[in-house]
Amino acid sequence: MDRYKDKLIVIFAGSSKEINVFFSKYTGLSSRIGFEIEFEDFSSKDLMTIFNNKLNEKKYDIEEVASNRIRKNIEKAKIARSFGNARYIDDIFEKLILAHATNLATDDNLKMITLNDVENMEKSDVLKDITIDDTLKDLNSLIGLKDIKNVIDGFVSVLEFNKKLSRKTDFNMHMIFKGNAGTGKTTVARLIANIYYSLGYIRKNKVVEVQSQDLIAEWLGQTGPKTQAVIDSALDGVLFIDEAYSLMEHRGSNASYTAEAIATLLKAMEDYKGRLIVIFAGYTEEMMQFRDLNPGLKSRIGFELTFNDYDLDELVQIFEKKVKDQELEVDKKAIAKAKKILEDAKKIENFGNGRFVDNMVQRVIIEHAKRMKNEENLEVLRLITEEDISEEIKAERSKNKIGF
C-alpha cells in the first residue's frame, strides 16, 4: 500500500463489527486507510422497492395481498444478524418465481404472482433458515416445561423489541439449568441456540456440548489451554457444560485444576459478551453448590432455569408422542398399562423422566416387532397393544446420580 500508492487502491470489506476488530489488531493498517464508508442495512421499504424492481424487470405483476405477505416475511427476516439484505431479496425472488412456475395451471395468469405462490415459496429453505417460527413451534410442542417456555418467550420478546429499536441487547445470557435426568435440559439448550441465532444474538447456530473431563487436563498447567480450546470451538454460539458440578471433584489435592478451569471460563464469559453463551447444567442441589463455589461465577450467571420432573400425565403424553413419532399407534389398554409402569417408576430415586420413557418405548417396539414376525396386516402392524408392554419394564434404583 505504501510502495504502490499511485498504482494500487486497496478496499477492505466486511461486516462492521468484524472489520473494526480486524483494524484494532493491526494498527499499521488504520494509518494507511484514507476513507471508511459505512453501508447501512436496507430498510424494509428499500427492500420492497428492490423486490418490486425485480418483478418489473421480468414483467411480473403481484396481487396486493401477496405483496403484503412478502413485506411481512422481509420484516421477520431482518431481525436476524445474518440477514443478507439485497442478497435475501435475490433468494426470495428466485424461490417465488420457481413456486409460481410450479403451481401455474394455465397460461391465463402467466405473469401474475398470487398469494398461493407466496405460501408455497414459504415452505422453501430460504425462509426456514432465517425465521424463528419453526423453532418456537418445536419448543411449544415439547410436553410440560411451562415455566421454561415462559422464560424463553421473554428472551424472544426482548431481543425482538431491541431489534425494532436498533439497539444492542446487553442482557447477561449465561445460564444455569437445574433439574433431574431426562427433564429436557439438553433439548432446550439446542432450541435456545436456534432462537438466538435466528434473532441475531449469536452468529452461528451451534451448541458445543461438553462435560468436565473435556475441560480438565491430565497435567498441571494444561487445564487452562484445554478449557480455552473448548471455548474457542464454541465462540459465536452456545457452550453447554453438562454435569458441570463434576468440576468440583477436582478440588482438594487437585484444587488448582478446578480453579484453572473456572478462571478460564469466567474470563471468557466476560471477554466474549455477545459472542458466547455458557450454559451450566446438572442436578439441582449439586448445581447450587457449584454456583456458590466461586463468587465470580455466581455474578456472571444471568438466569437460573429449573427443570421440574414430569408429572404422571406428562410422562404418559411423552410415551404416546414417542410411539406416534415412530408412525405407530397405541390402544387404550396399552396406555393404561404404560401409565401403571410409569407411576411405579416415578417412585424410584433418581428416576430418569424422559430418558426412562425413551428406553421404555424402545423395549416396547422390540417386543411388538418380535410379535409381528408373521403378521402382514398394516393396521395390526402399526398398533401397539398391552401385549407389547412387558411388566418387567421397571426403573432401576441407583445409588449414584448418572445420566442427563
Side-chain angles (χ1 to χ4, degrees), residues 20 25 40 108 134 137-138 161 196 200 233 252-253 316 323 330 344 349 351 358 377:
N20 289 336
K25 289 185 176 181
E40 295 181 354
D108 296 339
D134 289 338
K137 192 181 295 182
D138 289 340
F161 176 75
Y196 284 171
S233 72
S253 60
V316 173
V323 170
V330 56
D344 292 339
E349 186 181 2
F351 169 63
D358 279 337
N377 186 298

Side-chain angles (χ1 to χ4, degrees), residues 62-71 113-116 118:
I62 186 169
E63 294 176 349
E64 184 177 357
V65 65
S67 180
N68 290 337
R69 185 69 163 262
I70 291 292
R71 182 179 290 105
I113 303 298
T114 66
L115 179 60
N116 188 49
V118 179

Side-chain angles (χ1 to χ4, degrees), residues 8 32 55 176 243 316 354:
L8 178 69
R32 289 169 172 80
L55 288 175
I176 283 178
E243 301 180 358
V316 173

Side-chain angles (χ1 to χ4, degrees), residues 324-387:
K324 288 181 178 178
D325 287 344
Q326 299 292 324
E327 299 182 354
L328 299 171
E329 298 294 330
V330 56
D331 67 20
K332 291 182 179 179
K333 288 185 178 180
I335 292 173
K337 191 170 182 180
K339 184 173 183 178
K340 181 64 173 69
I341 290 174
L342 290 166
E343 185 178 15
D344 292 339
K346 269 184 66 64
K347 299 173 185 177
I348 301 296
E349 186 181 2
N350 302 335
F351 169 63
N353 285 282
R355 189 68 48 78
F356 176 82
V357 179
D358 279 337
N359 295 333
M360 180 178 176
V361 170
Q362 287 181 21
R363 292 182 63 178
V364 167
I365 291 176
I366 289 171
E367 288 301 316
H368 179 69
K370 287 162 62 177
R371 206 167 58 80
M372 294 292 110
K373 281 183 179 179
N374 300 317
E375 184 60 61
E376 298 296 333
N377 186 298
L378 285 178
E379 286 189 18
V380 177
L381 285 169
R382 290 196 176 113
L383 184 64
I384 300 294
T385 69
E386 62 179 332
E387 296 176 73

